[in-house]
Amino acid sequence: MREYNHKKIEENWVEKWLRDNVYEAVDFSEKPKKYILEEFPYPSSNSLHAGHVMRYTVPDVYARYLRMKGYNVLFPMGWDAFGLPAENYAIKTGIHPAKITQDTIVNFKESFLRMGYGIDWEREIDTSDPNYYKWTQWLFLKFFENGLAEYKETPIWWCEELKTVLAEEEVLTDKDGNKISERGLKPVEKKMLKQWVLKIPEYAEKLLQGLDTVDFPESIKAAQRNWIGKSEGANISFEVDGESIEVFTTRPDTIFGVTFMVFAPEHPFIKKVWDKIENQSDVNDYIEASKNKSDIERQAEKDKTGVEIKGIKAKVPFAEREVPIFIADYVLMDYGTGFIMAVPAHDERDYQFAKKYGIEIIEVIKPENAESQDEVLFTGDGVMINSGEYSGVSSEEFKKIVVENLEKQGKGNSAVNYKIRDWVFSRQRYWGEPIPLIHTEEGFKAVCNTQNIKEVNENLPLELPDVPDFSPSDDGASPLERNSEWVNITYEGKPAKRETNTMPNWAGSCWYYIRYVDPKNDNEFADIEKMKYWLPVDRYFGGAEHTTLHLLYSRFWHKFFHDLNLVPTPEPYNWRINGGILLAPDGSKMSKSKDNGIDPMELVDKYGADALRTTICFMGPYDETYPYNPNIIKTVNKLIKNVYSLQEKVSDENSDEPTLKAYHSMVKNISEMIENLKMNTAVSEIMIFINHLKKVEVIGKDIWEGFLKVFSPFAPFVAEELWQEFNGFSEWKKENSMHLQPWPGFDEKFIQEETITIPVQINGKVRTEIVINCGDTEEIVKEKALSDEKVLKLTEGKEIKKFIYVKDKIVNLVL
RNA sequence: GCCGUGGUGGCGGAAUGGUAUACGCGGUGGUCUCAAAAACCACUGGGAUCUGAUCCCGUGUGGGUUCGACUCCCACCCACGGCACCA
């Protein structure tokens, strides 16, 4: 056995593949295109970690397969380079975040190269590069010009430790119900602040409908639908103190059951009618108390609390009745209108509240088929009762009647509400794209008109100034605020100030898949013809953590751009899969603090990138989470050693029949499996085939050639080495690369057997096996089965009621 | 509570109506060796009569459809993920 030296082999090919950009994607090629995308990494720490190689290996195998199948494959990579870790590290060390980021990118790229990922490096992008963020800023100005970016005072999540505001999507709930930041898991609180927001709710309907047109897993679609949170109902105006105030309800059919109304404590109307309130101090106490309660406390309360506002009443339209009004913090200011019609008989929360405060409960719907209704509370659909002339009508029908009537009176209309909130888009941090706006006396001005390319090129990129101190301020101002030279400018002859907040680090990743299509364009964010050729992304691989962050945000940007005719497709990604997580060998999560992780570059040193890649593929399905088993890579390394030695058995002689059969069925199976991303079973096919080859004396040339091809996506280095040697290429030429060769075919005739063994069942239980010729008629099989010794014994004296034969598969006798 | 995904050997997993556990890890026994490691070979779901063999049980639980169910249908249990006073 000759010596397999993975280091020597892998170093050699890394350099040659890069120099000649073997994995080049060609714009406007005649070949059919495939755009295979994986979420680009945030460059932090020294090199790729286990999670990265877990994410990137399977897409690379798939992209390599498609390339060999004759597709023009775009498989790009770049750096999501703005963000907090580099900035925090910079604050600690005093080294500029740009410097830290660039150093890290160098290390990351080296890791990518060592892993043998087949990337077109001519398309590498970096979101912190001014040539890139020039266009991120330009795209932001499109939102601004179209009224979708607004400076607005709203309740916003503030993280004291990160010293910045966060978007709704960046806030998680921990096990104890505390709200924490998505990055860093730090506590957050709600504050009223003026911030830049992007009006994603205006795209709620489009984002929802688009989900029906894309091939995403149900879990992602469900999570996004849930996040968007559409509910259909009606807006109904109630008369309160001579004024008309709207509520939103999904159940206008319960209007006869309204026995009270509730305002959220923050509702501005309270101030407006303050003079009429008889119990001002009670109301004021309640408002103050709920102000001081955190969201967590509000939720932790088992009981609903509230106070009646005495002195004012509400008039229920349609039912024409007066009801009392309360304030209670179970009504939220930022959903619906902050004012609700309460129907205790048909809403759980209203029911609890009414019980506690002894408010009247009127049942207006009873279940369709219930003989007697024990519980007062009923939240389903049914038949109207206690509703005057409408009693007996179905609640679904009554819903329509109510809305139609209110519409005629001008007191209501059917309406839709969404849970999704404005996307808070400014951050009080240094390391991000400056927002290219100017505060003037007449309001905000864009630094340029996006339509005018001359103006654009003069004013963009608005470069992030080099400041001596990039640490965040305690007062919530951006670090850029301290840089007065940069901040204070003249706009149209008058003093003005630059916007000092930066964009969140989602900004660059919202459109990076577009820039890969045309990464070096200085005059456009991307050429429309190139976008027409490459978009949309055919396969998008990434992490589950981005389901309602990046994946929703970038769909929003794309849909907006599509409405402006900037991009040719309505959706950015046609297909999506979320990858699983690699756990530590003991089944716990890998973490730096626990030091239980595995370092992929160490494994590459020890066993080779080929072994690591193949191991990752073999361990399990892409979208599953499972522990790392350190023994597998040893076995896979052995497998590769075997492959390396087996080339010595290759000869001019033809392979024998069993080898031909094993080969053709392997090619058939692996092709199907890679197509379906079942890399784990594809590797097991390779193992089965190699176990077979180890037993044979000679290997035919054609078979070996085909084997190297199917092996190459998994172990590209050793495959290239053996391919060059096998063909006797003395000098490296790009076009001779293993990885640019066509994928092998297979021939069914070798796979089909002449005789096969099939099981014979009696009453559904396997009792014996018989050997038949492929394609034998049912009569012949029946005769064979019935004359089998064991069958004779077991059927003796019994009548065979039914004979079932599934061609070439199974026989079942029913007694 | 609601939505989603999933439950198969000691472990990772294979099989989407036709011989359950492919492939691999681990384990047991053996070869080699003074010995160990490595390498290689054999066995490896549980149980019973017995050691050619034969039979029973077995894919979260309980039902159902079918000649035949891990696979399809109904109900339930559990785990994981998301959302959660959303009117």
Side-chain angles (χ1 to χ4, degrees):
Chain A
M1 248 168 87
R2 57 181 184 157
E3 189 69 23
Y4 162 66
N5 182 337
H6 65 263
K7 275 201 171 162
K8 209 175 129 193
I9 293 171
E10 294 183 359
E11 274 166 25
N12 179 32
W13 294 113
V14 162
E15 189 260 316
K16 289 193 168 73
W17 292 341
L18 178 63
R19 196 202 321 138
D20 287 346
N21 198 26
V22 169
Y23 308 105
E24 184 185 0
V26 182
D27 294 329
F28 311 119
S29 149
E30 295 285 303
K31 290 179 184 175
K33 71 94 185 180
K34 286 279 180 185
Y35 188 172
I36 310 302
L37 184 67
E38 47 198 21
E39 284 166 2
F40 60 166
Y42 176 83
S44 72
S45 76
N46 291 327
S47 55
L48 290 189
H49 58 69
H52 290 125
V53 297
M54 188 73 174
R55 283 290 150 74
Y56 297 148
T57 304
V58 164
D60 181 58
V61 169
Y62 183 64
R64 286 173 175 279
Y65 164 78
L66 292 175
R67 197 176 290 113
M68 293 173 83
K69 267 282 191 185
Y71 289 97
N72 180 29
V73 174
L74 174 53
F75 189 65
M77 188 46 66
W79 318 107
D80 191 11
F82 276 130
L84 282 179
E87 186 171 347
N88 287 340
Y89 188 72
I91 292 161
K92 224 193 296 174
T93 60
I95 307 169
H96 198 280
K99 162 91 173 103
I100 293 163
T101 304
Q102 289 315 308
D103 290 351
T104 310
I105 285 174
V106 169
N107 293 336
F108 260 56
K109 186 165 177 180
E110 162 147 17
S111 299
F112 270 91
L113 292 167
R114 290 187 67 194
M115 284 301 291
Y117 294 138
I119 290 156
D120 180 350
W121 286 108
E122 290 299 312
R123 293 171 186 264
E124 181 180 350
I125 57 172
D126 168 357
T127 57
S128 68
D129 180 341
N131 292 323
Y132 181 90
Y133 71 70
K134 169 182 179 179
W135 299 107
T136 309
Q137 290 171 328
W138 183 81
L139 290 166
F140 173 84
L141 290 179
K142 288 285 182 193
F143 283 99
F144 178 74
E145 284 171 0
N146 287 278
L148 286 174
E150 203 183 321
Y151 194 61
K152 201 176 172 184
E153 176 148 26
T154 32
I156 276 169
W157 293 107
W158 169 262
C159 180
E160 187 54 36
E161 290 201 43
L162 299 176
K163 298 261 186 249
T164 188
V165 300
L166 296 171
E168 202 71 43
E169 290 80 5
E170 290 174 292
V171 175
L172 307 174
T173 311
D174 73 7
K175 284 184 214 105
D176 307 321
N178 299 304
K179 297 289 183 183
I180 51 170
S181 64
E182 184 261 345
R183 191 167 282 272
L185 308 178
K186 303 285 199 292
V188 297
E189 55 183 326
K190 268 230 163 125
K191 275 191 176 179
M192 286 303 283
L193 287 170
K194 239 182 168 182
Q195 292 294 320
W196 284 98
V197 298
L198 294 187
K199 295 183 178 172
I200 192 169
E202 298 210 356
Y203 274 75
E205 196 57 41
K206 281 183 180 173
L207 288 167
L208 209 50
Q209 280 173 12
L211 288 173
D212 295 332
T213 69
V214 292
D215 189 3
F216 288 8
E218 201 43 51
S219 58
I220 295 180
K221 290 190 179 186
Q224 291 208 355
R225 284 191 193 113
N226 196 334
W227 192 261
I228 294 164
K230 179 179 183 175
S231 10
E232 285 172 276
N235 284 329
I236 301 175
S237 295
F238 283 70
E239 206 185 298
V240 182
D241 189 47
E243 278 204 49
S244 162
I245 308 184
E246 270 197 345
V247 303
F248 172 73
T249 177
T250 55
R251 297 297 301 270
D253 49 325
T254 63
I255 192 141
F256 278 108
V258 175
T259 56
F260 62 104
M261 305 293 295
V262 187
F263 278 109
E266 307 93 326
H267 202 288
F269 187 75
I270 312 277
K271 274 180 201 151
K272 225 173 156 184
V273 290
W274 192 249
D275 294 342
K276 302 259 172 70
I277 297 173
E278 291 162 9
N279 55 337
Q280 284 180 347
S281 70
D282 289 351
V283 171
N284 192 51
D285 286 352
Y286 187 80
I287 292 171
E288 285 306 312
S290 64
K291 240 186 223 170
N292 293 329
K293 261 188 261 176
S294 67
D295 272 42
I296 305 135
E297 283 169 322
R298 271 201 193 189
Q299 274 174 30
E301 275 169 356
K302 287 171 208 116
D303 265 2
K304 305 259 174 294
T305 59
V307 170
E308 185 176 351
I309 305 176
K310 294 189 175 142
I312 53 168
K313 293 265 181 194
K315 203 168 143 200
V316 182
F318 207 86
E320 304 301 336
R321 188 171 58 224
E322 282 212 332
V323 294
I325 302 171
F326 288 75
I327 51 167
D329 62 12
Y330 81 91
V331 174
L332 309 172
M333 193 56 227
D334 53 3
Y335 182 78
T337 63
F339 184 46
I340 64 156
M341 59 177 234
V343 186
H346 305 290
D347 181 279
E348 218 174 303
R349 297 148 299 176
D350 300 343
Y351 179 74
Q352 280 176 33
F353 194 82
K355 274 270 176 190
K356 185 173 170 186
Y357 292 97
I359 307 164
E360 188 187 6
I361 298 173
I362 303 175
E363 292 167 71
V364 292
I365 298 171
K366 70 169 171 58
E368 201 105 20
N369 301 315
E371 306 93 57
S372 68
Q373 193 189 329
D374 306 333
E375 282 287 318
V376 178
L377 178 66
F378 170 65
T379 56
D381 289 321
V383 183
M384 302 312 301
I385 53 169
N386 300 330
S387 303
E389 56 179 303
Y390 300 103
S391 296
V393 175
S394 84
S395 60
E396 283 102 327
E397 203 177 315
F398 187 53
K399 207 177 259 185
K400 288 177 205 146
I401 295 171
V402 171
V403 175
E404 275 170 28
N405 268 279
L406 289 171
E407 249 166 41
K408 274 182 208 148
Q409 296 178 46
K411 286 183 176 169
N413 54 276
S414 62
V416 174
N417 230 296
Y418 300 93
K419 278 197 276 186
I420 194 167
R421 307 279 149 74
D422 282 341
W423 172 15
V424 179
F425 198 71
S426 44
R427 297 290 179 275
Q428 293 69 53
R429 285 294 205 143
Y430 172 74
W431 191 230
E433 301 87 347
I435 292 176
L437 294 175
I438 298 162
H439 299 240
T440 72
E441 278 173 20
E442 293 101 56
F444 288 99
K445 302 285 177 193
V447 299
C448 64
N449 174 354
T450 57
Q451 309 278 358
N452 183 334
I453 187 63
K454 194 170 161 264
E455 261 191 49
V456 169
N457 284 336
E458 274 167 17
N459 293 287
L460 293 180
L462 172 61
E463 289 205 34
L464 188 60
D466 193 355
V467 298
D469 175 18
F470 16 77
S471 51
S473 324
D474 284 329
D475 59 0
S478 161
L480 294 180
E481 194 82 37
R482 295 191 291 264
N483 189 3
S484 56
E485 207 175 301
W486 184 80
V487 174
N488 297 308
I489 56 166
T490 307
Y491 183 82
E492 289 177 350
K494 289 180 188 162
K497 280 189 167 198
R498 285 196 192 281
E499 169 64 41
T500 55
N501 286 319
T502 53
M503 298 189 205
N505 96 308
W506 306 109
S509 60
C510 271
W511 70 284
Y512 76 118
Y513 58 93
I514 297 174
R515 189 63 175 175
Y516 282 139
V517 162
D518 194 11
K520 290 169 184 163
N521 197 327
D522 288 330
N523 291 308
E524 277 176 293
F525 76 117
D527 174 65
I528 188 77
E529 293 306 318
K530 288 182 186 172
M531 285 192 264
K532 278 183 190 161
Y533 178 81
W534 287 112
L535 294 180
V537 171
D538 294 287
R539 296 271 162 134
Y540 193 19
F541 296 82
E545 67 275 20
H546 290 142
T547 298
T548 49
L549 289 161
H550 161 67
L551 206 55
L552 189 63
Y553 291 153
S554 59
R555 287 186 61 230
F556 164 46
W557 278 42
H558 194 95
K559 288 203 162 293
F560 169 60
F561 303 157
H562 188 240
D563 285 348
L564 297 184
N565 291 320
L566 292 173
V567 296
T569 62
E571 285 281 341
Y573 321 114
N574 247 352
W575 182 100
R576 165 79 183 195
I577 193 170
N578 283 352
I581 295 164
L582 187 63
L583 303 172
D586 65 359
S588 64
K589 279 205 169 183
M590 285 194 201
S591 75
K592 271 183 201 162
S593 54
K594 274 195 261 175
D595 196 31
N596 60 353
I598 56 153
D599 176 4
M601 290 307 118
E602 253 172 50
L603 293 171
V604 169
D605 280 337
K606 196 162 174 190
Y607 301 105
D610 283 338
L612 179 56
R613 294 167 55 99
T614 309
T615 298
I616 289 164
C617 289
F618 180 63
M619 280 189 304
Y622 184 77
D623 52 356
E624 294 289 326
T625 290
Y626 37 78
Y628 177 74
N629 179 338
N631 292 318
I632 295 177
I633 196 166
K634 296 178 192 167
T635 304
V636 171
N637 179 255
K638 239 178 275 175
L639 174 86
I640 293 170
K641 279 181 183 159
N642 275 315
V643 170
Y644 190 69
S645 300
L646 279 169
Q647 182 145 295
E648 292 177 322
K649 283 193 194 174
V650 176
S651 91
D652 290 332
E653 284 176 58
N654 286 330
S655 274
D656 57 14
E657 282 287 327
T659 305
L660 284 169
K661 183 184 171 264
Y663 169 76
H664 285 277
S665 74
M666 174 199 63
V667 174
K668 182 186 180 188
N669 291 341
I670 290 188
S671 306
E672 277 172 20
M673 287 163 178
I674 298 181
E675 200 80 62
N676 295 308
L677 300 171
K678 299 195 155 207
M679 305 309 177
N680 53 332
T681 54
V683 174
S684 76
E685 288 291 322
I686 288 166
M687 288 171 166
I688 293 166
F689 185 62
I690 292 302
N691 285 341
H692 175 86
L693 287 190
K694 273 153 72 179
K695 291 181 205 136
V696 303
E697 291 301 316
V698 293
I699 302 168
K701 273 190 168 166
D702 46 346
I703 279 175
W704 188 251
E705 180 180 338
F707 167 73
L708 288 180
K709 286 178 176 177
V710 300
F711 192 44
S712 69
F714 300 94
F717 294 104
V718 74
E720 181 80 274
E721 181 80 11
L722 291 172
W723 174 256
Q724 298 290 326
E725 183 187 85
F726 171 79
N727 285 291
F729 297 133
S730 52
E731 211 179 302
W732 160 249
K733 279 196 194 116
K734 178 178 173 179
E735 63 266 29
N736 287 336
S737 173
M738 160 97 272
H739 306 296
L740 302 178
Q741 305 309 311
W743 190 256
F746 57 89
D747 194 334
E748 286 280 356
K749 83 170 187 239
F750 292 104
I751 299 169
Q752 268 154 24
E753 305 243 22
E754 273 177 30
T755 65
I756 47 170
T757 306
I758 61 163
V760 178
Q761 295 184 332
I762 294 174
N763 289 337
K765 291 193 171 183
V766 179
R767 292 302 175 192
T768 188
E769 288 173 338
I770 56 169
V771 177
I772 62 162
N773 293 319
C774 259
D776 270 354
T777 61
E778 187 166 330
E779 287 71 39
I780 298 170
V781 174
K782 188 171 183 179
E783 207 192 307
K784 278 184 187 165
L786 294 183
S787 59
D788 180 87
E789 233 176 87
K790 188 147 184 214
V791 173
L792 281 171
K793 212 167 116 192
L794 287 165
T795 58
E796 206 182 348
K798 284 169 188 156
E799 185 203 347
I800 296 170
K801 290 189 189 130
K802 206 168 172 187
F803 176 88
I804 294 146
Y805 173 55
V806 182
K807 199 168 177 294
D808 298 342
K809 282 261 168 81
I810 200 163
V811 169
N812 193 9
L813 303 171
V814 185
L815 301 183

